[in-house]
Amino acid sequence: MLDLLKNQLLFSGLLIAVLMGAINLGVAYCTFYERKISAWIQNREGPNRVGFFGLFWGFHFWGYGQPMADGLKFLLKEEMIPDKADKPLYVMAPAISFIVSTIGIAVIPWGGYLDIDADGIVDVACQVANPDIGLLYVLGVGSLGVYGVVLGAWASNNKYSLFGGIRAAAQMLSYEIPLGLAILVVVLSCGEVRLENIVRAQIEGGGTWNVFVHPLAFFLLFVTQLAETNRAPFDMAESEQELVGGFHTEYGALKFALFFLSEYTHMIINSAFLCVLFLGGWHFPWIPGLGLEDTAWWAVLAKMAMLGTKIAGCVFVYMWIRWTLPRFRFDQLMRLAWKGLIPTGLGLVALAVVMTYFGIPGSESVWPKLIWGLGGNAAVLFMVVLVVGMSPAGVTGRQANMPPISLLSPAKRVPRADQGTAN
Amino acid sequence: MNASLPYLIYALFAVGGAGIYLALPRSGRSTAVPGSILGLAAVGMFVAVVAKYALPSEGAGFSYLFSAMALIGAGRVVTHPKAVYCVLYFVLVIISVSMLLVLQGAEFLAIALIVVYAGAILVTYAFVLMLSQQSASVPGDVRSREPFLAVLAGFFTMACIAGQVGDLPLAAAPSSEQVIRLAQHGEADQAVMPEMMVDGNTAAMGAALMTKYVVTLETTGVLLLVALVGAMAVAKKRVPIEESPDPEKPLGQVGREAAPF
């Protein structure tokens, strides 16, 4: 039985089964925690009634049965397809969305290498697949994520859905670029595109995770991932106050649930990716048993638990941001990407190139990395803030045609600033 | 090598071209069904011919599968009457071709194809189509112009390429493992990593790009930069600030007082 598990293919199959179950359960409880966290931030109680179908003598378990009840409701609701919708695409869109957001789990290194029979020889990698292009695979799968939203929006045959889809497409195209630049910084400083080796590079360099060397790149990746998952403050695609529900206005029952699940799955996978690239993956200093040489089954389980804890922390920050920051206006969103994030990303890539030229990432000691990295990041940040602060506030298309607010009321008639003529 | 092989392939192309011609959307009675049958038959016979003459190689089944997917998808790109479905079939073609590249050991190229074409360019196509065609297509859009000349041009292009097949040794392509062994750049990791996880040639390809082909790479970069600046210059439009039609009244007031119809 144990010999069977030494086959990487069978082990990967087992891992897929375990991960799919774990992630689906995690997604269900993410929806619950989203509501609990929003309640906490807004000083409410949140869902606290639903138990497990009256089992356990009616004890409600602080509302922990809520995700089960929600799932059951989604299953039992009537499936509806609008009459004028494009039926094949309308049905396919949620499935595409869910599949694309799920297949990213394949290349995440969940727990390093595993030595099943404790004979000192590594048997399998605790990873579904470890292709040479692991990082690019994540990038490619992420770039396909927009299709589900766009097709669902178009197939619904609804103007509000269409607006949501168009916004999502423009937003994702713009935020792919800073995402790629942030990833490039990691590739340059680790010299690797294989995710397992990126974790290894962070551990071997004196335990300096990339976030300590390149904090701005971490921030850049986090912001672009918020935009890629359509989470607030970047949820232009579904902004409820303007577009009813955005791209999923016409969806209900299980098809809507698939869109919902894919958003949360995307969050979890993106957080895992962020942890692997910048937060040292399954590594944590000062805790024995999480090192590169620990390959026993319990060490691998501990590593998976450590990565899971980090992912939970990232997901918490996602939710915290959603219930704290208001939504961007669309021109602000575009200006942030093209005039803020992309120049910053280019500066960071240049910094990483200079550091690589002087051989900083390969140095044994921690200090050159920290001094170069933090100093360079401070310099890039200073320059960006200087340029942004000195440039005039952006005025776009329609805004240029609008008079200042005070001119609209005849009582407070003041000269227009841009014309400079008093009357 | 069979001397009549190129003529067999030309004949198959002719059959496939006839199928595409019949399947192209047109006004009047649709001939899509016989066209599709003819096209599928051509694809099937082509796969059979390749299977007969090519030497067996690793992963051949997947290769046939993805080739057939790419061919059928490409046929649907030009024959489907709805433009959004054409874009989706184009995505299918891109994915099938990148799978073929993976089978050949060119993983980086495969993913680059997906990121650039499926992830960026075709999303832009979908974006434009969504803006232009919310409801049913107008008749002018679903009728193909000059179908016969288009099919003829396609036939000649394909025939020019396939005419070289007779000269090529139809040996098995190097398996992905051989390609990897050629490109491998250091075997330090092999001791630590399990057998299945070792393959890959992205680093070797990157090294080649940055040393042997660095001038080409940089020239391409400059070309793209020039294109970017040109696009900005063409697209930038200053919106003039409108003057109030009635100078006595403030801006906006005239619009409020105007009759609605």
Side-chain angles (χ1 to χ4, degrees):
Chain A
M1 188 61 208
L2 276 180
D3 283 347
L4 267 183
L5 280 183
K6 282 185 187 175
N7 184 339
Q8 177 73 49
L9 193 61
L10 290 179
F11 187 80
S12 292
L14 183 71
L15 198 63
I16 290 173
V18 172
L19 287 175
M20 284 301 288
I23 285 183
N24 280 342
L25 197 69
V27 162
Y29 275 93
C30 268
T31 63
F32 178 66
Y33 284 121
E34 174 100 64
R35 297 175 64 183
K36 274 289 192 192
I37 286 170
S38 78
W40 172 61
I41 285 176
Q42 296 165 350
N43 213 356
R44 297 185 278 116
E45 276 288 323
N48 61 355
R49 281 288 181 271
V50 184
F52 293 94
F53 313 113
L55 299 175
F56 309 111
W57 304 278
F59 185 59
H60 52 66
F61 284 98
W62 310 280
Y64 269 67
Q66 183 74 43
M68 312 292 167
D70 286 345
L72 208 63
K73 190 185 109 179
F74 276 134
L75 276 174
L76 295 178
K77 279 182 85 167
E78 182 188 356
E79 292 277 345
M80 271 191 9
I81 299 181
D83 200 26
K84 293 278 170 59
D86 190 306
K87 289 189 183 58
L89 285 188
Y90 181 85
V91 176
M92 259 165 65
I96 291 177
S97 195
F98 187 65
I99 290 169
V100 166
S101 64
T102 313
I103 54 180
I105 62 171
V107 294
I108 306 284
W110 295 98
Y113 296 118
L114 175 59
D115 175 12
I116 289 175
D117 45 12
D119 58 357
I121 303 166
V122 168
D123 294 313
V124 286
C126 188
Q127 187 173 6
V128 176
N130 191 358
D132 193 28
I133 42 161
L135 201 59
L136 297 163
Y137 173 87
V138 177
L139 207 59
V141 167
S143 70
L144 293 180
V146 66
Y147 278 104
V149 173
V150 166
L151 293 177
W154 184 81
S156 299
N157 197 13
N158 176 323
K159 288 282 187 285
Y160 292 117
S161 299
L162 188 72
F163 281 141
I166 287 172
R167 286 178 177 189
Q171 178 180 324
M172 290 215 186
L173 282 175
S174 304
Y175 279 80
E176 284 269 304
I177 302 166
L179 177 75
L181 290 173
I183 288 174
L184 204 56
V185 171
V186 177
V187 174
L188 278 167
S189 56
C190 295
E192 286 287 349
V193 279
R194 213 183 268 263
L195 288 174
E196 180 65 47
N197 292 2
I198 287 176
V199 175
R200 174 195 299 253
Q202 294 180 60
I203 298 169
E204 281 175 344
T208 45
W209 299 347
N210 283 330
V211 65
F212 299 130
V213 186
H214 292 290
L216 264 186
F218 171 77
F219 179 72
L220 209 64
L221 185 63
F222 187 73
V223 170
T224 48
Q225 285 187 342
L226 276 179
E228 293 271 308
T229 40
N230 283 325
R231 292 284 297 182
F234 298 99
D235 57 346
M236 299 298 299
E238 51 179 293
S239 54
E240 299 91 350
Q241 288 85 351
E242 307 154 34
L243 300 181
V244 189
F247 64 95
H248 54 62
T249 302
E250 295 287 345
Y251 280 90
L254 206 58
K255 294 195 203 68
F256 170 74
L258 274 183
F259 269 132
F260 203 63
L261 291 183
S262 76
E263 181 185 327
Y264 281 89
T265 314
H266 212 145
M267 262 165 70
I268 291 179
I269 301 295
N270 270 350
S271 301
F273 190 45
L274 191 73
C275 293
V276 167
L277 289 191
F278 279 99
L279 299 177
W282 36 259
H283 173 250
F284 201 85
W286 310 302
I287 296 184
L290 290 179
L292 280 172
E293 68 283 352
D294 298 303
T295 50
W297 61 268
W298 50 268
V300 168
L301 284 185
K303 287 172 180 176
M304 290 175 87
M306 173 51 69
L307 185 57
T309 313
K310 287 181 183 176
I311 291 173
C314 288
V315 170
F316 170 72
V317 178
Y318 269 80
M319 293 175 180
W320 184 10
I321 287 177
R322 174 168 176 185
W323 297 105
T324 308
L325 295 181
R327 188 178 300 130
F328 278 111
R329 212 171 55 209
F330 198 74
D331 60 317
Q332 292 171 332
L333 182 110
M334 285 294 157
R335 198 159 65 230
L336 178 68
W338 290 97
K339 293 190 174 172
L341 298 182
I342 292 177
T344 315
L346 287 172
L348 289 174
V349 170
L351 171 69
V353 169
V354 172
M355 282 171 71
T356 313
Y357 180 76
F358 286 111
I360 306 296
S363 68
E364 288 295 313
S365 169
V366 176
W367 294 111
K369 285 184 213 169
L370 287 185
I371 292 168
W372 269 83
L374 294 180
N377 271 281
V380 170
L381 188 65
F382 179 71
M383 277 155 64
V384 167
V385 169
L386 201 68
V387 170
V388 170
M390 284 173 68
S391 60
V395 176
T396 56
R398 262 185 62 213
Q399 279 180 322
N401 284 339
M402 291 178 185
I405 300 292
S406 58
L407 275 185
L408 288 177
S409 78
K412 297 178 194 170
R413 206 162 155 183
V414 291
R416 288 184 63 179
D418 52 355
Q419 289 174 340
T421 52
N423 47 345
Chain B
M1 187 47 56
N2 194 339
S4 63
L5 183 59
Y7 300 102
L8 183 60
I9 291 177
Y10 293 154
L12 286 178
F13 283 167
V15 176
I20 292 276
Y21 176 73
L22 288 178
L24 279 172
R26 66 187 64 216
S27 55
R29 226 167 120 243
S30 167
T31 47
V33 174
S36 310
I37 293 170
L38 215 55
L40 282 177
V43 170
M45 280 189 288
F46 191 71
V47 168
V49 168
V50 173
K52 181 165 184 293
Y53 285 97
L55 298 178
S57 65
E58 180 200 7
F62 284 116
S63 180
Y64 292 132
L65 176 71
F66 289 123
S67 306
M69 268 169 64
L71 282 173
I72 294 168
R76 290 304 275 157
V77 172
V78 289
T79 55
H80 204 286
K82 280 188 181 170
V84 171
Y85 284 83
C86 296
V87 169
L88 283 183
Y89 276 111
F90 205 161
V91 176
L92 182 69
V93 173
I94 298 287
I95 291 175
S96 314
V97 171
S98 72
M99 289 301 126
L100 286 175
L101 289 174
V102 168
L103 289 176
Q104 294 289 321
E107 295 139 348
F108 179 81
L109 208 56
I111 291 290
L113 200 68
I114 287 188
V115 171
V116 173
Y117 283 93
I121 293 182
L122 287 170
V123 173
T124 320
Y125 282 14
F127 185 83
V128 173
L129 286 172
M130 279 178 15
L131 279 175
S132 62
Q133 301 192 328
Q134 168 75 10
S135 49
S137 318
V138 285
D141 273 356
V142 298
R143 197 183 307 142
S144 51
R145 264 173 86 169
E146 303 293 354
F148 181 71
L149 288 180
V151 167
L152 204 63
F155 172 78
F156 278 120
T157 316
M158 289 304 292
C160 287
I161 297 169
Q164 310 298 319
V165 168
D167 304 334
L168 291 177
L170 268 187
S175 71
S176 56
E177 272 178 18
Q178 282 167 312
V179 176
I180 289 150
R181 217 169 290 135
L182 291 174
Q184 209 146 49
H185 59 98
E187 307 188 342
D189 283 346
Q190 287 201 18
V192 202
M193 294 165 75
E195 183 69 38
M196 182 188 155
M197 300 287 185
V198 190
D199 51 357
N201 51 17
T202 308
M205 195 188 141
L209 272 182
M210 293 312 286
T211 52
K212 196 175 173 189
Y213 302 106
V214 69
V215 177
T216 322
L217 189 74
E218 293 297 324
T219 317
T220 317
V222 171
L223 187 71
L224 286 176
L225 185 68
V226 171
L228 186 73
V229 173
M232 294 281 277
V234 171
K236 190 158 176 63
K237 193 175 81 173
R238 275 245 168 257
V239 183
I241 296 177
E242 287 171 17
E243 294 297 328
S244 173
D246 185 352
E248 287 303 307
K249 287 179 178 167
L251 262 177
Q253 194 59 39
V254 179
R256 287 186 184 181
E257 288 169 0
F261 296 105

